[in-house]
Amino acid sequence: MAKRFGDTDIWKKQRWFRKLSPDYKLSFLYIKDQCDHAGIWNIECTDLIEDLGISEFNLADFVSACNTEYDKNTGKITLKERIRILDKGYIWVTGFIQFQYKGKEGLVNPYAAPVKTALQILSGFKLLDEALNKSFITLTEVLPEGYLTPKEKDIVKDNSI
């Protein structure tokens, strides 16, 4: 069972979260808890509805609500990409890796085992470059050439011939 960090400030300091309906607040926490260690959740709205005991769930409306930001000084609405619907039935929680794995200096160590596999997952979804370019993830150092290339010992060999 995976353990996750939770942001206790989300209830008082995250205006976007405070503006969500109770069902959407619960849904956001559910998705954050059910996603993999890269922040990718296989969309299964039936399970979400049953597990949360809610009567209905509109995915597009939920994503829009989560991505709506409110300016602290003016109250004006802006957009921030916290959640994205991906092709093939997945959702990406864009800030998941940064929040879960950042160190004291606020940066993510790409050599930590769970981080490396999380980055490999994002790479498989063709999201890694975007995650780095848009600062969804801020690493302690630039990824070296071949970082995501599997080492010889990690390659599964077919010896059935």
Side-chain angles (χ1 to χ4, degrees):
M1 172 174 45
K3 305 287 186 202
R4 302 282 163 85
F5 289 111
D7 182 5
T8 57
D9 285 340
I10 198 168
W11 297 97
K12 295 293 181 185
K13 295 184 179 177
Q14 299 293 327
R15 188 170 309 279
W16 69 272
F17 185 79
R18 293 174 65 195
K19 296 270 190 188
L20 293 177
S21 70
D23 285 353
Y24 284 176
K25 286 177 185 169
L26 190 56
S27 298
F28 178 80
L29 296 174
Y30 178 86
I31 290 168
K32 179 188 68 71
D33 287 346
Q34 293 297 310
C35 68
D36 67 18
H37 65 290
I40 305 290
W41 180 62
N42 185 5
I43 298 171
E44 187 51 68
C45 292
T46 304
D47 284 352
L48 180 140
I49 290 168
E50 290 175 6
D51 291 348
L52 299 182
I54 58 179
S55 58
E56 62 184 4
F57 181 74
N58 181 312
L59 182 62
D61 185 52
F62 167 74
V63 170
S64 177
C66 287
N67 289 338
T68 300
E69 181 69 50
Y70 299 88
D71 183 273
K72 187 176 182 176
N73 297 318
T74 66
K76 290 185 180 181
I77 293 176
T78 58
L79 296 178
K80 185 170 182 181
E81 193 172 28
R82 291 182 182 89
I83 296 179
R84 181 193 298 172
I85 298 174
L86 304 175
D87 294 338
K88 299 180 180 156
Y90 294 93
I91 280 182
W92 177 31
V93 181
T94 60
F96 185 84
I97 292 174
Q98 185 68 28
F99 181 80
Q100 291 297 319
Y101 304 115
K102 68 183 174 190
K104 291 179 184 175
E105 69 285 349
L107 303 173
V108 176
N109 178 356
Y111 295 101
V115 173
K116 185 165 186 172
T117 57
L119 297 179
Q120 288 171 336
I121 291 168
L122 288 187
S123 181
F125 279 95
K126 301 193 180 347
L127 296 169
L128 181 58
D129 288 339
E130 180 182 355
L132 296 171
N133 292 335
K134 288 187 174 179
S135 297
F136 293 139
I137 305 169
T138 308
L139 300 175
T140 55
E141 59 188 82
V142 176
L143 296 178
E145 187 72 31
Y147 172 81
L148 293 176
T149 306
K151 293 182 176 38
E152 183 68 28
K153 67 180 179 78
D154 296 330
I155 298 173
V156 177
K157 295 182 182 175
D158 185 3
N159 295 327
S160 60
I161 301 178

